[in-house]
Amino acid sequence: MKVPQFQPSLGEREYAAIKDCFDQNWITEGPKAKEFMGKLLTLTGAKYGVFAPNGTLALYLGLKAIDIGPGDEVIVPDFTFYATASSVAMTGATPIFADVNKENFQIDVSKCKELITPRTKAIMPVDIYGMSANMDEVVSFAKEHGLKIVEDAAQALGVKYKGVHAGTRGEIGCFSFFADKTITTGEGGMIVTNDSKLYDKLLYLRNQGRIDRGSFIHPQIGYNFRMTDIQLAIGIVQLERLPEIVSKKKAIYDRYIGHLRNIDALRFIKVEEGTDPYIPFRVAIIDRSGRAQKLMEHMKKNEIETRTFFYPMHLQPAFKHMNWDDSKFEGSNYGYNNGICLPSFVDLKEEQVDYVCDVIKKFYS
Ligand SMILES: *Cc1c(COP(=O)(O)O)cnc(C)c1O
């Protein structure tokens, strides 16, 4: 049996939604964008939102909206997808990496204080693997040091922390609709905020420095960060399917736990307290016996595609020149060396989960 790491879950309904754009003869941002945004604001409870071409550019635009630029420093967890850090670099500012905890690899706020300098302007908590970062700690730390918050909630659409939707506690929250995210538009992203002034800035930044599309007068510097209604039509259907997507992802996660919980060498990453719902972005496990690499090789031989955890930012060739002290990144190094992402996409079949678990059990027996 072959088990890929990931496959998007698309069907007739998404296909019909695309056709509808053709029938209406409207393919740029228009009626579908309006409908999708309305539904996303209802889901997240955010006051305002704009789309971006992808999650990476959503982060960049969010940082620009709070005036991050050359000379500024932004605290970024060392354990995240590269885009969290590269979006900071794209503004001309410097990402400063903070270690994460070993339980669930969320930013360790207790280690952030020593990173503060007069140039520190913002902090970017990342909601890793479909659970919230400890936002209570992040928010009080940010308040104490006068920092703005840009929350990278790319993996956390639908996720709530103590009843509040991911991405809505700070100034800016960013989401991704890439193919492997909870819901997808192929490529796509969104920025939310509760601040009307930031919303205004986002509108200018994403729409060629103006509010009205038909005008050739551009009061501000701005760019084109729009999506297409073809993409957004897919998003509407995907969002309608969110309850189904969440329940299927949970069922897969529970099935893995049922099979693997008695293997002493393995543990599942701990769900951050207060996260409800937790929507497993990946089923992420830790091998405690130092054999993660061997296990992944064994699984590959059995045609199961796994992924390592994220490669720490301080080790990235792109950021290495900044001479990070490797001993300060125990958490992210631990995650990279011992973490494994199991196949866990929506349409994964029960037989496939059972097969993956059999292969894992054989490895440890
Ligand atoms: C996917 C992802 C991004 C980037 O989103 P794209 O839409 O792929 O550009 C940023 N941060 C995190 C944590 C992600 O998982």
Side-chain angles (χ1 to χ4, degrees):
M1 196 185 296
K2 263 199 177 127
V3 189
Q5 173 71 17
F6 187 79
Q7 272 176 358
S9 176
L10 300 168
E12 289 299 325
R13 289 185 58 202
E14 283 85 354
Y15 199 45
I18 295 175
K19 185 171 178 299
D20 191 47
C21 296
F22 282 71
D23 293 343
Q24 309 286 330
N25 200 23
W26 195 300
I27 57 173
T28 57
E29 254 184 31
K32 300 290 186 190
K34 202 165 167 210
E35 184 185 343
F36 190 28
M37 185 53 79
K39 290 185 164 150
L40 286 164
L41 293 180
T42 303
L43 171 73
T44 59
K47 282 200 187 132
Y48 311 102
V50 300
F51 292 114
N54 54 56
T56 308
L57 290 174
L59 291 167
Y60 169 74
L61 213 63
L63 290 163
K64 291 291 278 186
I66 60 162
D67 295 321
I68 298 298
D72 296 335
E73 292 177 357
V74 178
I75 297 175
V76 172
D78 195 51
F79 184 89
T80 181
F81 180 60
Y82 168 75
T84 321
S86 70
S87 60
V88 174
M90 193 172 164
T91 68
T94 305
I96 302 295
F97 301 129
D99 200 14
V100 295
N101 72 60
K102 286 185 186 170
E103 295 302 318
N104 58 21
F105 308 96
Q106 309 284 342
I107 191 164
D108 185 344
V109 176
S110 73
K111 292 185 186 161
C112 290
K113 197 164 184 171
E114 62 188 83
L115 305 177
I116 297 277
T117 76
R119 294 180 295 280
T120 315
K121 295 284 159 57
I123 182 167
M124 295 175 83
V126 182
D127 303 310
I128 282 290
Y129 294 149
M131 67 182 75
S132 174
N134 187 330
M135 286 307 291
D136 281 349
E137 282 182 19
V138 172
V139 168
S140 67
F141 178 80
K143 274 212 180 106
E144 190 185 334
H145 297 280
L147 307 180
K148 300 252 167 71
I149 297 172
V150 175
E151 184 175 346
D152 182 345
Q155 303 179 357
L157 190 79
V159 172
K160 286 185 178 173
Y161 176 74
K162 299 188 179 169
V164 181
H165 196 286
T168 63
R169 289 282 299 274
E171 278 71 19
I172 296 276
C174 299
F175 297 85
S176 163
F177 305 125
F178 184 64
D180 72 345
K181 300 303 194 302
T182 303
I183 69 167
T184 186
T185 59
E187 297 278 0
M190 170 175 72
I191 304 144
V192 297
T193 182
N194 289 320
D195 182 327
S196 63
K197 286 204 187 84
L198 290 180
Y199 176 56
D200 223 44
K201 272 174 130 171
L202 288 166
L203 288 176
Y204 279 98
L205 279 168
R206 73 184 300 272
N207 187 32
Q208 312 282 21
R210 68 193 166 181
I211 297 285
D212 300 324
R213 211 133 124 202
S215 158
F216 294 115
I217 317 259
H218 306 259
Q220 296 184 16
I221 298 291
Y223 319 94
N224 178 354
F225 275 67
R226 296 187 298 262
M227 291 179 69
T228 71
D229 257 22
I230 301 174
Q231 297 168 302
L232 297 161
I234 298 172
I236 293 168
V237 175
Q238 287 264 302
L239 189 57
E240 282 166 4
R241 289 183 52 207
L242 185 63
E244 170 213 333
I245 290 170
V246 172
S247 82
K248 283 185 173 165
K249 285 200 147 212
K250 281 228 158 107
I252 290 165
Y253 175 71
D254 289 341
R255 198 171 184 90
Y256 271 120
I257 290 190
H259 281 308
L260 301 179
R261 77 173 141 221
N262 293 327
I263 299 179
D264 281 343
L266 290 184
R267 73 168 170 88
F268 287 74
I269 62 169
K270 185 175 156 238
V271 180
E272 181 70 32
E273 217 173 294
T275 300
D276 184 23
Y278 158 52
I279 308 177
F281 172 69
R282 291 284 190 278
V283 171
I285 58 170
I286 294 284
D287 167 88
R288 292 192 275 214
S289 65
R291 288 183 287 169
Q293 191 62 41
K294 287 250 148 52
L295 173 58
M296 282 190 282
E297 280 163 21
H298 171 73
M299 293 176 79
K300 193 177 171 190
K301 269 188 215 134
N302 288 279
E303 301 198 283
I304 299 163
E305 214 181 318
T306 59
R307 287 279 184 281
T308 65
F309 278 13
F310 293 118
Y311 192 52
M313 291 304 115
H314 78 282
L315 295 176
Q316 295 288 347
F319 296 120
K320 240 183 156 162
H321 63 276
M322 296 168 76
N323 289 322
W324 304 96
D325 176 356
D326 186 62
S327 70
K328 296 234 150 122
F329 298 101
E330 224 183 292
S332 56
N333 284 333
Y334 176 78
Y336 176 71
N337 291 324
N338 300 290
I340 302 170
C341 291
L342 302 177
S344 48
F345 52 91
V346 172
D347 295 331
L348 190 67
K349 296 191 188 72
E350 288 184 348
E351 306 90 83
Q352 289 177 301
V353 176
D354 297 349
Y355 170 69
V356 172
C357 293
D358 282 346
V359 168
I360 293 174
K361 281 181 197 158
K362 269 195 200 110
F363 175 81
Y364 285 111
S365 68

Short mmCIF file of all heavy atoms in Angstrom, two decimals, residues 54-56 59 80-81 83-84 126 152 154-155 176 178 181 188, ligand 1:
data_model
loop_
_atom_site.label_atom_id
_atom_site.label_comp_id
_atom_site.label_asym_id
_atom_site.label_seq_id
_atom_site.Cartn_x
_atom_site.Cartn_y
_atom_site.Cartn_z
N ASN A 54 -0.91 34.70 -0.95
CA ASN A 54 -0.52 33.49 -0.21
C ASN A 54 -0.21 33.89 1.24
O ASN A 54 -0.21 35.09 1.57
CB ASN A 54 0.69 32.80 -0.87
CG ASN A 54 1.86 33.74 -1.07
OD1 ASN A 54 2.33 34.36 -0.12
ND2 ASN A 54 2.30 33.88 -2.31
N GLY A 55 0.05 32.91 2.07
CA GLY A 55 0.29 33.18 3.49
C GLY A 55 1.56 33.99 3.72
O GLY A 55 1.62 34.83 4.63
N THR A 56 2.57 33.73 2.92
CA THR A 56 3.85 34.44 3.06
C THR A 56 3.65 35.94 2.83
O THR A 56 4.12 36.78 3.61
CB THR A 56 4.87 33.90 2.03
OG1 THR A 56 4.93 32.47 2.16
CG2 THR A 56 6.23 34.50 2.24
N LEU A 59 1.79 37.65 5.65
CA LEU A 59 2.69 38.02 6.76
C LEU A 59 3.44 39.31 6.42
O LEU A 59 3.55 40.22 7.25
CB LEU A 59 3.69 36.89 7.03
CG LEU A 59 3.10 35.61 7.63
CD1 LEU A 59 4.12 34.47 7.55
CD2 LEU A 59 2.67 35.83 9.08
N THR A 80 9.50 26.99 13.04
CA THR A 80 8.34 27.41 12.24
C THR A 80 8.66 27.13 10.78
O THR A 80 9.78 26.73 10.45
CB THR A 80 8.02 28.91 12.44
OG1 THR A 80 6.86 29.26 11.66
CG2 THR A 80 9.18 29.81 12.01
N PHE A 81 7.68 27.36 9.92
CA PHE A 81 7.97 27.33 8.49
C PHE A 81 8.75 28.60 8.15
O PHE A 81 8.49 29.67 8.69
CB PHE A 81 6.67 27.23 7.68
CG PHE A 81 6.92 27.18 6.20
CD1 PHE A 81 7.66 26.15 5.65
CD2 PHE A 81 6.43 28.18 5.37
CE1 PHE A 81 7.92 26.12 4.29
CE2 PHE A 81 6.67 28.14 4.01
CZ PHE A 81 7.41 27.12 3.47
N ALA A 83 8.71 30.85 6.07
CA ALA A 83 8.04 32.10 5.66
C ALA A 83 7.86 33.08 6.81
O ALA A 83 7.84 34.30 6.57
CB ALA A 83 6.69 31.79 5.02
N THR A 84 7.72 32.59 8.04
CA THR A 84 7.56 33.51 9.17
C THR A 84 8.78 34.43 9.25
O THR A 84 8.66 35.64 9.44
CB THR A 84 7.41 32.73 10.50
OG1 THR A 84 6.61 31.58 10.31
CG2 THR A 84 6.80 33.61 11.59
N VAL A 126 3.57 31.70 16.46
CA VAL A 126 3.10 30.82 15.37
C VAL A 126 2.27 29.71 15.99
O VAL A 126 2.70 29.08 16.96
CB VAL A 126 4.29 30.20 14.61
CG1 VAL A 126 3.78 29.33 13.46
CG2 VAL A 126 5.21 31.30 14.07
N ASP A 152 1.16 34.35 13.29
CA ASP A 152 1.17 33.48 12.12
C ASP A 152 0.24 32.30 12.41
O ASP A 152 0.63 31.31 13.02
CB ASP A 152 2.60 33.00 11.83
CG ASP A 152 2.66 32.13 10.58
OD1 ASP A 152 1.61 31.67 10.11
OD2 ASP A 152 3.79 31.90 10.08
N ALA A 154 -1.21 30.52 10.07
CA ALA A 154 -1.33 29.83 8.78
C ALA A 154 -1.90 28.42 8.93
O ALA A 154 -2.65 27.94 8.08
CB ALA A 154 0.03 29.77 8.08
N GLN A 155 -1.54 27.76 10.05
CA GLN A 155 -1.96 26.37 10.24
C GLN A 155 -3.16 26.27 11.18
O GLN A 155 -3.45 25.18 11.68
CB GLN A 155 -0.79 25.56 10.82
CG GLN A 155 0.47 25.62 9.97
CD GLN A 155 1.63 24.83 10.55
OE1 GLN A 155 1.55 24.27 11.64
NE2 GLN A 155 2.74 24.78 9.82
N SER A 176 -3.13 31.05 5.86
CA SER A 176 -2.75 30.57 4.53
C SER A 176 -3.81 29.61 4.03
O SER A 176 -4.38 28.83 4.81
CB SER A 176 -1.41 29.85 4.59
OG SER A 176 -1.21 29.07 3.42
N PHE A 178 -2.93 27.57 1.38
CA PHE A 178 -2.14 26.68 0.53
C PHE A 178 -2.77 25.28 0.55
O PHE A 178 -3.57 24.95 1.42
CB PHE A 178 -0.69 26.64 1.03
CG PHE A 178 0.20 25.81 0.14
CD1 PHE A 178 0.43 26.19 -1.17
CD2 PHE A 178 0.79 24.64 0.61
CE1 PHE A 178 1.24 25.42 -2.00
CE2 PHE A 178 1.60 23.86 -0.22
CZ PHE A 178 1.81 24.26 -1.52
N LYS A 181 -3.08 23.28 3.83
CA LYS A 181 -3.65 23.90 5.02
C LYS A 181 -5.08 23.38 5.25
O LYS A 181 -5.62 22.67 4.41
CB LYS A 181 -3.61 25.42 4.88
CG LYS A 181 -2.19 25.99 4.69
CD LYS A 181 -1.27 25.59 5.83
CE LYS A 181 0.03 26.33 5.97
NZ LYS A 181 1.01 26.39 4.94
N GLY A 188 -3.17 31.08 -1.52
CA GLY A 188 -4.06 32.12 -0.99
C GLY A 188 -3.72 32.45 0.45
O GLY A 188 -3.04 31.68 1.13
C1 LIG B 1 2.13 27.57 5.13
C2 LIG B 1 2.73 28.47 6.12
C3 LIG B 1 3.12 29.76 5.79
C4 LIG B 1 3.16 30.29 4.38
O1 LIG B 1 1.97 30.21 3.70
P1 LIG B 1 1.99 30.10 2.09
O2 LIG B 1 0.54 30.27 1.75
O3 LIG B 1 2.50 28.75 1.76
O4 LIG B 1 2.82 31.19 1.58
C5 LIG B 1 3.62 30.57 6.79
N1 LIG B 1 3.74 30.14 8.05
C6 LIG B 1 3.38 28.90 8.41
C7 LIG B 1 3.51 28.48 9.84
C8 LIG B 1 2.87 28.01 7.46
O5 LIG B 1 2.54 26.77 7.82
#
